[in-house]
Amino acid sequence: VDVRPREWYETGRQQRDETMLRRVLEHAFASRYGDDALFLLGELAWARADYDRAREFWSQILPGEELPGASGRLHYPDTTIDPSRVRARLILCTIAENNLTRARAELRTFEDAYPDARGTLAGRSGSLARLLADVLQDASSWRHPIEPASASTFAFNQRRNRVLPYSVDVGAVLWSVPLADAELNNPG
């Protein structure tokens, strides 16, 4: 049953081909390769600094991990991926987004849920909680890009999900055209 999804996944993994990995999700989401495709797509998104997208992929691996505005999103039904590896990456996304207060809270929850979890993060191996704590400590000194003062598109990005800490003056009316009264013809 999983012959084609396995071929798509292996090709995607070996060639780092997102199209093949997405094919697994589109045509065989619940196959035994669906969670692996989600994990690897998250890794590829992370590598290009697309933290929102990485979070989207990784959050679909764990049941109950909902993103704002993503209700109804499919979740992989029975993953074989260690949930601590996934949660650790979700915390990395929070750190990379410079939401350090949230990251600290997520790390406390992680330490309680996975005190003995071990793995590799940020090129280092060891206790995942310790590795995350080190990254979080380092993050306080990172220089994040300065946010633009004005948006080039509605809500700053294509997903239209940026919330600004201040109100936006949309300006005065630039033009208007009066509409003539018109009768609506109802053919039915």
Side-chain angles (χ1 to χ4, degrees):
V1 173
D2 286 346
V3 173
R4 297 294 289 169
R6 179 174 49 84
E7 291 171 0
W8 297 331
Y9 173 74
E10 288 301 328
T11 299
R13 184 181 62 79
Q14 291 167 4
Q15 298 176 8
R16 310 303 259 186
D17 182 345
E18 292 187 39
T19 302
M20 295 305 285
L21 295 169
R22 288 177 193 276
R23 187 174 292 168
V24 173
L25 301 183
E26 291 168 8
H27 299 286
F29 184 83
S31 72
R32 73 177 70 174
Y33 299 97
D35 57 345
D36 295 320
L38 286 166
F39 192 83
L40 186 50
L41 282 164
E43 294 282 311
L44 295 172
W46 173 266
R48 66 175 179 274
D50 188 350
Y51 309 122
D52 288 340
R53 196 75 176 124
R55 183 185 298 280
E56 284 180 30
F57 287 124
W58 289 329
S59 68
Q60 290 181 72
I61 297 172
L62 301 175
E65 189 67 34
E66 285 296 332
L67 297 173
S71 62
R73 181 176 294 277
L74 288 176
H75 289 276
Y76 190 78
D78 190 22
T79 187
T80 57
I81 297 173
D82 179 353
S84 68
R85 290 178 60 209
V86 179
R87 292 246 183 251
R89 280 158 177 78
L90 291 170
I91 296 169
L92 278 180
C93 289
T94 304
I95 294 169
E97 293 164 347
N98 198 30
N99 191 342
L100 303 185
T101 302
R102 176 179 164 188
R104 284 184 199 92
E106 289 176 350
L107 179 56
R108 283 190 298 275
T109 302
F110 182 89
E111 290 169 331
D112 291 341
Y114 308 104
D116 300 321
R118 301 187 65 74
T120 302
L121 281 178
R124 296 177 36 216
S125 296
S127 160
L128 289 177
R130 181 75 252 151
L131 294 172
L132 286 166
D134 290 347
V135 172
L136 183 56
Q137 173 86 28
D138 293 344
S140 62
S141 65
W142 292 349
R143 294 181 55 124
H144 290 272
I146 297 171
E147 297 286 340
S150 63
S152 60
T153 186
F154 178 74
F156 277 80
N157 62 45
Q158 66 198 23
R159 293 200 182 119
R160 316 279 194 250
N161 63 1
R162 174 79 190 281
V163 177
L164 298 176
Y166 53 85
S167 62
V168 176
D169 179 8
V170 294
V173 175
L174 298 178
W175 60 271
S176 68
V177 175
L179 298 175
D181 290 333
E183 287 186 34
L184 295 177
N185 294 328
N186 188 352

